[in-house]
Amino acid sequence: MRVDDATTIRTIEQLDAVYGEPIAAAVTMELDHVSEHYRAYVEASPFVVLATSGPEGLDCSPRGDPPGFVRVADPKTLLIPDRRGNNRVDSLRNIVRDPRVALVFLIPGIGTLLRVNGRAVLSTDPALRESFAMGERRDKLPASVIVVTVDAAYIQCPKALMRSKLWNSATQIPGSAVPSMGEMLEAITHGAVDCQAFDAAAPKRLEETMY
């Protein structure tokens, strides 16, 4: 698709001409720390999206665990356990080279979002990792903990979730409505991965590698 250059916004002045001034409340709600009200959102959230930037480009990564898995150590510090994944560690590679991060916290059934911008480092401190232990024997530790220094925290209005009807059970679709991971891998590898075998093994594989 070719975009008409005459209608392309290329300057802040052009952008301001289209959108005007921000809503006053949106500016007022931005704090340089996690307030007690914002803390309630962090502690109720089982899901956060982590955005990072590095030399190869941008990355946006989902993080999930029981509500409160992101810990508010103090008003300026958030702690995020890095749970077991696929070992691409794109977000972590970015953080090592560019500490800037952005977070969006979601709470099932709640339309309002909490957004946090800050700077992060990775810690392998044994005591810190052990404080995030999971599993029946409390022996599943994160490989590292993302320590975020908060620069800005603010609430996002619920319009996006209202428009998307994300929490509306009536709009949920069955898994069969989209390609499965096995189907996609089979197509990408030109049959080297067996779709049915991969998908059949997925539930057990997920259970065994959750932490």
Side-chain angles (χ1 to χ4, degrees):
M1 175 181 173
R2 189 175 184 281
V3 179
D4 184 359
D5 191 65
T7 61
T8 301
I9 297 174
R10 298 192 182 280
T11 68
I12 295 298
E13 290 73 21
Q14 291 174 322
L15 185 65
D16 289 342
V18 173
Y19 286 95
E21 296 294 323
I23 297 172
V27 177
T28 302
M29 286 184 172
E30 181 176 332
L31 305 176
D32 65 355
H33 64 282
V34 176
S35 67
E36 284 304 306
H37 291 114
Y38 290 176
R39 180 180 188 133
Y41 274 79
V42 174
E43 294 179 343
S45 174
F47 186 85
V48 64
V49 180
L50 167 67
T52 59
S53 175
E56 291 82 17
L58 306 176
D59 184 70
C60 198
S61 173
R63 307 281 163 149
D65 238 345
F69 78 99
V70 176
R71 187 179 302 163
V72 182
D74 58 60
K76 290 290 289 185
T77 311
L78 299 178
L79 304 174
I80 309 172
D82 186 62
R83 298 299 184 192
R84 187 172 178 177
N86 55 20
N87 265 7
R88 283 184 56 118
V89 295
D90 295 315
S91 298
L92 307 188
R93 293 179 190 277
N94 283 348
I95 288 172
V96 168
R97 296 171 296 177
D98 184 339
R100 294 176 298 170
V101 298
L103 306 169
V104 177
F105 291 87
L106 286 85
I107 304 172
I110 303 296
T112 303
L113 309 173
L114 175 67
R115 298 176 61 173
V116 173
N117 296 331
R119 292 154 289 119
V121 295
L122 307 178
S123 174
T124 57
D125 178 83
L128 184 57
R129 292 172 56 226
E130 287 174 8
S131 72
F132 284 99
M134 294 290 285
E136 293 182 4
R137 294 179 299 210
R138 305 292 293 176
D139 60 347
K140 304 297 185 181
L141 310 184
S144 66
V145 175
I146 304 170
V147 182
V148 179
T149 299
V150 177
D151 290 330
Y154 51 98
I155 289 295
Q156 177 87 40
C157 79
K159 291 189 183 75
L161 292 190
M162 291 175 65
R163 286 190 289 253
S164 68
K165 299 181 180 179
L166 185 64
W167 305 135
N168 187 338
S169 60
T171 64
Q172 293 180 357
I173 63 175
S176 59
V178 294
S180 69
M181 188 172 290
E183 289 174 319
M184 290 184 281
L185 282 171
E186 185 175 76
I188 291 169
T189 62
H190 304 288
V193 173
D194 181 274
C195 163
Q196 292 185 342
F198 185 92
D199 287 340
K204 184 178 181 181
R205 181 171 59 248
L206 286 171
E207 181 180 351
E208 294 176 346
T209 62
M210 188 65 68
Y211 291 103

